[in-house]
């Protein structure tokens, strides 16, 4: 069965600084990979997804993620964080069903 | 376009009462998912339907939980009888799966508190 690990429960970055959120997955083959964002009181919204092809994928709101098969990772990055990016971020893997990580709460300080 | 619509947004009830949560998926989507979110367990898939048929209900906690999808535009998740440990946010999501996985569109959730 597939699983997802997000090792950081909370991350705090300064506005304008770069961001990297970590995600590691476990699955026997190449899965479909996703990053979702959840603002307080809201449902989840898809940021980006990887199915195949180019291992660097671009998403909405200036986010990108890189699939590294050798490391079983799919880390999310953003070069310059805005205060509105404060939210909870979920990595998800779909082998035979979609499984979410525990989430990383991003705080942005001004 | 309307997104996934869930009702009620908030429900407070007493232990032992029946709770019914409702979901209207995005028109044209053929898959519907019910998730539960708690601080302790994160996001858990309870059940999902494809073309109104339950495909995987292995996440349904116990017999007190049941879900139906009588048509393509409506689904319910029922808890009877409810218990305090059922307190959580319940999300409905829909998707247009095309031979594989697809983007899930989530509703805003139903926050359930069982006293």
């Amino acid at each position: 069965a597939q699983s997802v690990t997000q090792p950081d429960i909370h991350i705090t970055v300064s506005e304008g600084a770069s961001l990297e959120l970590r995600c590691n997955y476990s699955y026997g083959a190449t899965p479909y990979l996703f990053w979702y964002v959840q603002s307080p009181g809201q449902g989840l919204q898809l940021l980006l997804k990887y199915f195949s092809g180019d291992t660097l994928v671009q998403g909405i709101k200036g986010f990108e993620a890189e699939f590294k098969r050798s490391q079983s990772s799919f880390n999310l990055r953003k070069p310059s964080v805005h205060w509105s990016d404060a939210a909870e971020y979920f990595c998800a893997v779909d082998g035979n069903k979609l499984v979410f990580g525990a989430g990383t709460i991003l705080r942005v300080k001004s | 376009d309307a997104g996934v619509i869930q009702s009620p947004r908030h429900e407070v009830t007493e232990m032992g009462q029946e709770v019914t949560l409702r979901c209207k998926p995005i028109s044209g989507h053929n898959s519907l998912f019910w998730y539960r979110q708690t601080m302790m367990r994160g996001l858990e898939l309870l059940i999902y339907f494809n073309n109104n048929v339950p495909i995987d209900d292995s996440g349904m906690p116990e017999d007190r939980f049941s879900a139906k999808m009588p048509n393509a535009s409506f689904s319910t998740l029922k808890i009877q009888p409810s218990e305090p440990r059922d307190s959580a946010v319940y999300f409905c999501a829909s998707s247009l799966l095309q031979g594989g996985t697809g983007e899930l569109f989530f509703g805003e959730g139903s926050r359930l508190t069982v006293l």
Side-chain angles (χ1 to χ4, degrees):
Chain A
Q2 64 263 37
S3 66
V4 181
T5 301
Q6 293 181 247
D8 303 305
I9 298 174
H10 298 96
I11 281 188
T12 300
V13 299
S14 298
E15 191 168 15
S18 64
L19 170 70
E20 183 169 30
L21 301 182
R22 296 183 291 165
C23 172
N24 292 95
Y25 69 89
S26 174
Y27 186 63
T30 301
Y32 299 144
L33 296 161
F34 305 81
W35 275 99
Y36 283 81
V37 61
Q38 184 181 29
S39 297
Q42 301 294 313
L44 280 70
Q45 179 186 20
L46 182 70
L47 283 176
L48 48 78
K49 59 190 176 188
Y50 172 78
F51 286 0
S52 65
D54 193 346
T55 57
L56 184 63
V57 293
Q58 302 297 320
I60 62 171
K61 305 183 181 185
F63 285 92
E64 66 178 26
E66 185 171 12
F67 169 59
K68 293 186 177 180
R69 184 191 308 274
S70 61
Q71 299 177 18
S72 296
S73 70
F74 189 57
N75 294 349
L76 181 71
R77 300 194 293 250
K78 186 169 184 178
S80 177
V81 169
H82 188 263
W83 64 267
S84 61
D85 293 324
E88 189 163 13
Y89 292 80
F90 293 89
C91 182
V93 58
D94 195 325
N96 54 10
K97 67 179 179 181
L98 192 63
V99 174
F100 287 89
T104 297
I105 296 172
L106 172 65
R107 299 190 178 110
V108 180
K109 58 182 181 181
S110 55
Chain B
D1 288 342
V4 175
I5 299 172
Q6 291 186 246
S7 65
R9 289 295 312 277
H10 301 275
E11 173 95 9
V12 180
T13 190
E14 293 187 345
M15 183 173 61
Q17 296 298 305
E18 177 179 295
V19 173
T20 299
L21 307 178
R22 298 172 178 80
C23 176
K24 177 179 170 55
I26 292 173
S27 177
H29 283 190
N30 61 4
S31 292
L32 183 140
F33 305 77
W34 282 100
Y35 282 87
R36 177 172 68 177
Q37 186 178 39
T38 61
M39 289 291 292
M40 293 299 296
R41 301 174 68 92
L43 269 164
E44 304 172 277
L45 176 64
L46 300 178
I47 185 171
Y48 88 89
F49 297 84
N50 187 246
N51 293 323
N52 312 337
V53 175
I55 302 300
D56 183 354
D57 65 355
S58 59
M60 295 286 266
E62 49 199 272
D63 292 346
R64 297 185 298 107
F65 285 69
S66 63
K68 294 182 179 179
M69 192 165 186
N71 57 62
S73 60
F74 183 66
S75 176
T76 60
L77 178 67
K78 186 175 293 187
I79 308 172
Q80 167 63 15
S82 58
E83 297 182 2
R85 60 190 168 126
D86 301 330
S87 298
V89 181
Y90 291 82
F91 287 102
C92 176
S94 70
S95 174
L96 184 60
L97 298 181
Q98 295 173 329
T101 192
E103 175 181 355
L104 265 61
F105 292 81
F106 283 78
E108 294 187 323
S110 294
R111 180 176 294 277
L112 173 64
T113 303
V114 183
L115 303 175

